[in-house]
Amino acid sequence: MSGRTDKVLTPEEVVGQLRSGMTIGIGGWGSRRKPMALVRALLRSEITDLTVISYGGPDVGLLAAAGRIRRLVAPFATLDSIPLEPHFRAARERAAFTLTEYDEAMFMWGLHAAANRLPFLPVRAGLGSDVMRVNPELRTVASPYDDGEELVAVPALRMDAALVHLNRADRLGNAQYLGPDPYFDDLFCEAADTAYVSCEQLVETAELTKAGPPQSLLVSRHSVTGVVETPNGAHFTSCVPDYDRDEAFQKLYAATPWNEFADRFLSGGGEHDYQLAVRTWHEEQQ
Amino acid sequence: MTTTGTEATTAPRTVSRAEYCVIACAEAWRGNGEVLASPMGLIPAFGARLAKRTFAPDLLLTDGEAMLVGLDGTAEGWLPYRRHLTMVTGGRRHVMMGASQIDRFGNQNISCIGDWERPARQLLGVRGAPVNTLNNPVSYWVPKHSTRVFVARVDMVSGVGYDRAEAAGVTRFHRLPRVVSDLGVLDFGGPGHAMRLVSVHPGVTVAEVRAATGFELTAAEEVPYTREPTAEELRLIREVIDPKGLRDREVRV
């Protein structure tokens, strides 16, 4: 390897580098390309008291249901084909965590600010809405130019660690998306002090540009701390073109009491046990 | 019983309430030019497609994911979420959003019902409503017009209404063209940009709309009916755009 860093880790090793109280960013969008294998590894650990930054999906639902979130920074939480995330809702309705509710664009510019090491970025969003009321720490900034427009100064969403899931990666941390939408995974990695990329398939570097055009190389190794190969690791969210969302399983997730779901699918010792439990459940549905 | 020739040879042309709603939604995009029509909900989606097929051919549509597509699904552009947000702030978009609550001046809520600190019902979160309303035209679609949705005061202002936009000094690109419900069409042409009843769908009375609205509703003395679809529009809705009749699931009358 001539001194180049092999960053391959297991999900357990990733979680071993995280601590309670950390601020963790989670990539993907809603119920799409979420690093679910890493979230499941988090759930198997004792780590808690997290600040989670996410365009929320079942990552938020699972961590909220398990009581791991102290503060959530998000513009929404949804399962997409099921509009309302039931475990997120339940946790909010019992005031289980503090919410910093942002608009989708405010959130994006917070990621950009963090990735660019800026304290904030100005946005035309939030003013006039109750986002300003419920997040009273938000400041505004006046344009220094002739227009003088007042804008919201979205603070940088800097994080201790980012977790993202992509289709392919090499052992150095270069990672590639093969679906139509990059979401904001590159920004999450660049906005974090450490970033962990799980992928469907670990490949040789030379394979990356054979699988897709250069612009599909979304995440570069300089912003990546560790790489994990977790086939089907976004399950039950989508990871196109490798697989679509597992709608049947997502319905089960949304309809099953948390303890029952956790007992059956999350109580095993590793990701392999989860995948096996899912396969068994699908076979039962035949 | 006397019949004319046309009545005898034409199948009963009863327009359903859902079809009036599709027409009313389509009209939101009339004259918009080359902008992205972002419909949320089935009826607005049918409306956007009807508009593009008829009087607004330059509209851009998405496949609901990351592509800009033509009516036949042909991809013509790339619009992942980050670029979609640029389209919002660039203003070349007219979205028709849903509303769990909306008030007299168009403040909209999709975040939660009750106290935000500990909501009685957590909904979606504010999503893109704050950025949408400050940057590109935002219309609303309410499939079930009731005093639960049309309220005196929303619990959490997600989309910004006229009074709040004025108070915050963010009127520069703020525009709420219309609200379409299963009962009629409303705009903000009342005093001080208050909501005003513009038309009722055939079969609906002004009194019915007032009774289903939780605040004082401005209306002209004579409120017209929502316009009839043309024969060609009706054919497009029934045979091309929604042959399975899904529209009648969203609006049943």
Side-chain angles (χ1 to χ4, degrees), chain A residues 8-53:
Chain A
V8 175
L9 302 172
T10 66
E12 275 60 36
E13 286 169 333
V14 170
V15 169
Q17 297 185 20
L18 306 178
R19 295 287 172 267
S20 291
M22 275 187 167
T23 297
I24 308 274
I26 303 178
W29 174 286
S31 193
R32 301 157 199 236
R33 221 176 64 215
K34 285 288 175 178
M36 297 297 278
L38 297 182
V39 170
R40 287 187 282 267
L42 252 181
L43 290 170
R44 288 191 299 272
S45 78
E46 299 294 312
I47 291 171
T48 187
D49 199 33
L50 295 172
T51 293
V52 172
I53 297 176

Side-chain angles (χ1 to χ4, degrees), chain A residues 32 89 101 149 183 186, chain B residues 65 82 116 122 126 172:
Chain A
R32 301 157 199 236
R89 295 188 76 189
E101 185 164 359
E149 185 174 350
Y183 308 120
D186 49 334
Chain B
E65 296 290 332
R82 57 179 73 188
W116 181 86
Q122 173 64 42
V126 295
R172 195 172 169 196

Side-chain angles (χ1 to χ4, degrees), chain B residues 102-108 133 140 150-154 157 159-166 174-176 179 187-196 215-216 218:
Chain B
I102 190 164
D103 74 13
R104 189 161 178 240
F105 295 103
N107 295 293
Q108 167 252 29
T133 42
Y140 292 106
F150 290 81
V151 294
R153 191 186 155 86
V154 306
V157 175
V160 179
Y162 279 99
D163 57 339
R164 303 264 301 213
E166 276 158 30
H174 179 269
R175 195 161 72 85
L176 309 179
V179 180
D187 70 5
F188 294 92
H193 289 293
M195 203 186 286
R196 175 180 70 169
F215 50 81
E216 195 194 330
T218 306

